[in-house]
Amino acid sequence: MTWRATVLTLYPEMFPGVLGLSLAGKALGEGKWELEPIDIRSFATDRHRSVDDTPAGGGAGMVMRADMAAAAIDAGRAGAVHGTPTLYMSPRGERLTQERARQLAEGPGVLVLCGRFEGVDECALEARNVEEVSIGDYVLSGGELAAQVLIDAAVRLLPGVTGNEVSLDEESFASGLLEYPHYTRPREWESRSIPEVLLSGDHGKIAKWRREQAECLTKARRPDLWQKHGTPKS
Ligand code: SAH
């Protein structure tokens, strides 16, 4: 069974977008995952194909109608494998983490609703029991970029997608730490040089140095992470 992302959007032409290139794009081309954008507007019933309306209670902007959002969700669910989570990209949601990306990659895929304008009528979110997911504390103009972030984070963890060029278990967050710094040739550049230990060929020493660097960086830059993971297991 192939991992599948179904995306409910008013802008299906925004997909695959960045997901069509590099690691994710190559894997998509090889059939290692599937992407199905569904145009929410195709569920509109009136002549103007409208899917949104003015906010109840007044105020600026437009809100996606509950019936349109729900029709799109239902159609997406009908085509998705049982157990696929329904997510609504939203700044009010729980923040996306590496751990959540890993869980999503282990499941059958995702059904993602992308909002536009002011957002989506709350009735639809409640009635369809949608999980809200945020990619950070800032406001985007639509959920499509956020959906691409979430899908990219999950897809690169699928078996066979990320080759040797990236080592998944050493990178940032995998062990609760930020990653150590990387170096490559040239060995000297603008009077800076690669740390001696990395040229020593002593794998034990190198591993220890990387570990120390990762811990120092995490303590300095992300005291919250350091606090949470205490002294992480090696
Ligand atoms: N009025 C809303 C923001 C709407 S932004 C509020 O204040 O909460 C329009 C759409 O962009 C949202 O419906 C959502 O799908 C998407 N979006 C904006 N910021 C996001 C974020 N940080 N994470 C995930 N999705 C986001």
Side-chain angles (χ1 to χ4, degrees):
M1 190 184 58
T2 311
W3 196 90
R4 185 185 183 90
T6 307
V7 182
L8 313 173
T9 171
L10 287 169
Y11 296 93
E13 62 276 27
M14 286 185 179
F15 290 84
V18 294
L19 299 172
L21 297 150
S22 193
L23 274 183
K26 186 161 167 275
L28 185 60
E30 290 168 354
K32 289 180 176 152
W33 66 287
E34 293 169 353
L35 175 65
E36 187 195 10
I38 295 181
D39 187 356
I40 299 171
R41 210 171 285 285
S42 66
F43 301 97
T45 48
D46 67 345
R47 216 155 52 81
H48 306 289
R49 303 191 76 213
S50 51
V51 291
D52 54 334
D53 211 329
T54 53
M62 296 295 267
V63 176
M64 191 183 298
R65 291 169 50 133
D67 49 355
M68 301 301 157
I73 291 169
D74 294 345
R77 281 183 177 170
V81 175
H82 184 73
T84 300
T86 306
L87 312 176
Y88 167 48
M89 303 315 299
S90 154
R92 301 186 316 187
E94 190 163 322
R95 197 93 59 84
L96 179 65
T97 59
Q98 188 62 18
E99 182 51 35
R100 186 76 182 106
R102 199 189 329 274
Q103 284 169 7
L104 293 173
E106 281 166 5
V110 287
L111 173 60
V112 189
L113 172 64
C114 302
R116 278 272 151 185
F117 329 117
E118 289 308 311
V120 177
D121 187 298
E122 196 74 21
C123 292
L125 303 177
E126 281 177 19
R128 293 298 180 267
N129 198 18
V130 168
E131 179 193 342
E132 297 189 35
V133 180
S134 167
I135 65 160
D137 291 345
Y138 39 81
V139 180
L140 303 167
S141 46
E144 289 77 9
L145 272 175
Q148 290 182 17
V149 167
L150 176 138
I151 294 167
D152 182 79
V155 158
R156 63 193 294 282
L157 300 176
L158 296 175
V161 171
T162 301
N164 288 333
E165 58 268 32
V166 187
S167 81
L168 292 176
D169 40 304
E170 285 195 0
E171 66 187 4
S172 293
F173 310 114
S175 59
L177 295 175
L178 301 179
E179 199 181 47
Y180 52 81
H182 294 287
Y183 298 89
T184 184
R185 279 176 281 275
R187 201 168 152 164
E188 278 193 28
W189 175 80
E190 292 197 354
S191 71
R192 288 159 195 276
S193 47
I194 298 177
E196 251 343 285
V197 57
L198 297 181
L199 307 167
S200 68
D202 182 335
H203 296 296
K205 253 163 79 181
I206 293 171
K208 183 164 169 279
W209 179 86
R210 287 179 167 165
R211 175 93 207 168
E212 285 162 5
Q213 292 290 314
E215 292 185 1
C216 277
L217 270 171
T218 310
K219 272 187 232 174
R221 295 189 188 177
R222 292 293 303 274
D224 59 318
L225 273 185
W226 182 252
Q227 191 87 36
K228 200 158 123 205
H229 293 275
T231 313
K233 48 201 175 301
S234 34

